[in-house]
Amino acid sequence: RRLGTQMGERIGDAAVDFEGAKDAMRSRETNLGSLVADVMREAAGADVALVNGGTIRAGIPAGPVTVGAVYNALPFDNWLISFAVTGKELRAALETGVSRVEVGDGGFPQVSGMRYVFDPRKPAGGRILSIEVGGAPLEETRTYVLATHDFLAAGGNGYTVFAGREPVYNDSGRWLRDVLAEWWRRRGSIAPAADGRIAAAGP
């Protein structure tokens, strides 16, 4: 696992602050949650990606970015995995993810390749108002390839709908934080903004 990596090694730059505060990661879209999900989707070649907010434990401030900063943001030994789900199952997963938003549950879904609107005032299980994948409305019967990580793929954080899937992509030899660090090295400086992929309905 590249034990020789120096935590102080500079891998690139952040042109903006990447928000990783616990309350933000577990309740709404953040630019860091979107970045991690985007990198997962790209690395796995998937249609969509979903990562629980509880995976991300720290922000990354604007300026030079080190290996250590990425490891602080993603401290867990998770690896990237993808598998096929139907639109109906994807909807069920998002319902699970927003079902406990009012208590700051770590399962809150940060996403890529899709947009969703939820209403936190509705009963759990009926909060998702709309979902788009690749700019088109979700099709319940269509199959989508979803990238996530091993913890959620095993049904963690209540995502039982994901358990027992046959992987399409399974990168168990690399931790997710190393995938992100390598991606950042290739890009140099990055400055993504939150783009409205998660919205909460309400007053």
Side-chain angles (χ1 to χ4, degrees), residues 55-115:
T55 288
I56 300 168
R57 291 301 173 109
I60 298 176
V65 176
T66 61
V67 171
V70 172
Y71 276 45
N72 286 340
L74 295 172
F76 301 110
D77 292 342
N78 296 126
W79 71 84
L80 188 56
I81 194 166
S82 77
F83 43 82
V85 294
T86 64
K88 185 177 181 181
E89 290 164 340
L90 184 57
R91 177 183 294 277
L94 290 172
E95 286 284 9
T96 294
V98 300
S99 65
R100 290 165 51 79
V101 64
E102 63 275 9
V103 295
D105 187 75
F108 185 81
Q110 301 285 337
V111 298
S112 175
M114 56 178 155
R115 306 166 78 87

Side-chain angles (χ1 to χ4, degrees), residues 1-2 39-40 42-44 71 76-81 149-150 169-183 186:
R1 306 281 186 191
R2 303 219 324 272
V39 171
M40 292 169 71
E42 181 182 308
Y71 276 45
F76 301 110
D77 292 342
N78 296 126
W79 71 84
L80 188 56
I81 194 166
H149 58 57
D150 60 299
Y169 178 96
N170 190 4
D171 190 6
S172 60
R174 264 192 321 169
W175 299 135
L176 181 56
R177 54 180 171 256
D178 292 323
V179 176
L180 177 58
E182 287 160 23
W183 185 92
R186 293 196 300 272

Side-chain angles (χ1 to χ4, degrees), residues 109-127:
Q110 301 285 337
V111 298
S112 175
M114 56 178 155
R115 306 166 78 87
Y116 70 88
V117 180
F118 73 103
D119 188 340
R121 301 163 302 175
K122 288 185 178 290
R127 292 179 170 178

Side-chain angles (χ1 to χ4, degrees), residues 9-52:
E9 180 195 340
R10 181 175 174 172
I11 56 170
D13 293 279
V16 296
D17 285 325
F18 282 90
E19 184 178 29
K22 183 175 176 178
D23 57 340
M25 293 306 313
R26 297 171 181 227
S27 63
R28 57 179 171 80
E29 176 187 359
T30 69
N31 57 355
L32 183 55
S34 294
L35 172 69
V36 172
D38 285 349
V39 171
M40 292 169 71
R41 180 168 68 99
E42 181 182 308
D47 299 313
V48 293
L50 184 155
V51 60
N52 57 315

